[in-house]
Amino acid sequence: MPDVRQTISDFYRVAQERDFSRDFQFRVLNIQSGDGAFAITEDDLVYAQGGSIPGRTVANHDVSFMGLNFKVPGAASYSGTYPLTFYSDREDSLRNLLLTWSRDTFDDATSTGNYYMPKETSIVDLVQLDTQLERVAQFTLVGAYPQEIGEVTYTAAGTGAPVTFTCTLNYHFVRSTRF
């Protein structure tokens, strides 16, 4: 008999107990600037095509002793960027809101802006859902601001498909809550 008991029956039993998270069980719940001047609500966020839960990296540091290198964990870091793809609504209001927020940070027409450090209340809320669309976990990207708002492409030879645009938000760190 093998030492490792990972048989088809074991897989089936565990899959029945725990099930699988599905690719549609995720929502971007809220995006807002720290001063509340720019808020992207549920009605806007139905246009979000999806998203991802940010990863986390713990730095490793080598500590040598008698010819051996020991790995010592250090500080955590995050990618700091959060790309999203949105469907563009008929009047392009969502994209214009993001562009206005971006111009609030730096306006190239006047060479002025708020050059501020995004506040702790400038956030992106993400939720992971179960099969009943109830929250399993919530992830809050803290210190968020728009870095890049992508272009919208139109073509006269199009088929009438909805157009999309990308938005890259930056953030400082992530808070997570399990429900």
Side-chain angles (χ1 to χ4, degrees):
M1 176 150 235
D3 288 340
V4 178
R5 285 201 29 168
Q6 291 180 343
T7 66
I8 292 171
S9 296
D10 294 321
F11 172 81
Y12 187 61
R13 176 186 53 79
V14 172
Q16 284 179 7
E17 291 171 6
R18 297 184 188 174
D19 202 357
F20 294 93
S21 185
R22 311 304 170 128
D23 57 4
F24 60 84
Q25 293 174 316
F26 175 85
R27 298 289 186 278
V28 181
L29 191 63
N30 177 42
I31 301 174
Q32 68 183 25
S33 66
D35 60 4
F38 305 99
I40 298 172
T41 65
E42 274 187 26
D43 284 350
D44 298 315
L45 291 170
V46 298
Y47 286 97
Q49 287 188 346
S52 61
I53 297 170
R56 183 174 192 264
T57 302
V58 174
N60 266 342
H61 301 281
D62 288 342
V63 175
S64 297
F65 182 75
M66 296 183 67
L68 296 174
N69 281 330
F70 293 89
K71 301 291 185 192
V72 177
S77 65
Y78 303 91
S79 74
T81 59
Y82 193 73
L84 284 169
T85 300
F86 293 98
Y87 289 109
S88 187
D89 60 280
R90 182 179 58 235
E91 296 178 12
D92 218 12
S93 58
L94 177 56
R95 186 169 181 274
N96 284 325
L97 177 65
L98 288 162
L99 284 169
T100 301
W101 187 4
S102 174
R103 284 191 185 96
D104 182 60
T105 303
F106 178 79
D107 188 345
D108 50 348
T110 60
S111 295
T112 61
N114 280 330
Y115 312 114
Y116 61 91
M117 173 72 117
K119 297 179 180 178
E120 190 174 3
T121 53
S122 187
I123 59 171
V124 178
D125 283 321
L126 313 168
V127 290
Q128 184 181 2
L129 305 168
D130 65 12
T131 56
Q132 302 302 309
L133 301 180
E134 298 291 333
R135 293 179 199 200
V136 173
Q138 181 165 330
F139 303 87
T140 301
L141 312 183
V142 178
Y145 63 95
Q147 176 195 3
E148 179 181 348
I149 292 86
E151 59 195 30
V152 178
T153 303
Y154 293 93
T155 177
T159 62
V163 296
T164 61
F165 69 94
T166 59
C167 174
T168 301
L169 300 165
N170 279 354
Y171 63 93
H172 296 293
F173 60 93
V174 179
R175 287 193 182 118
S176 60
T177 306
R178 305 291 300 174
F179 292 92

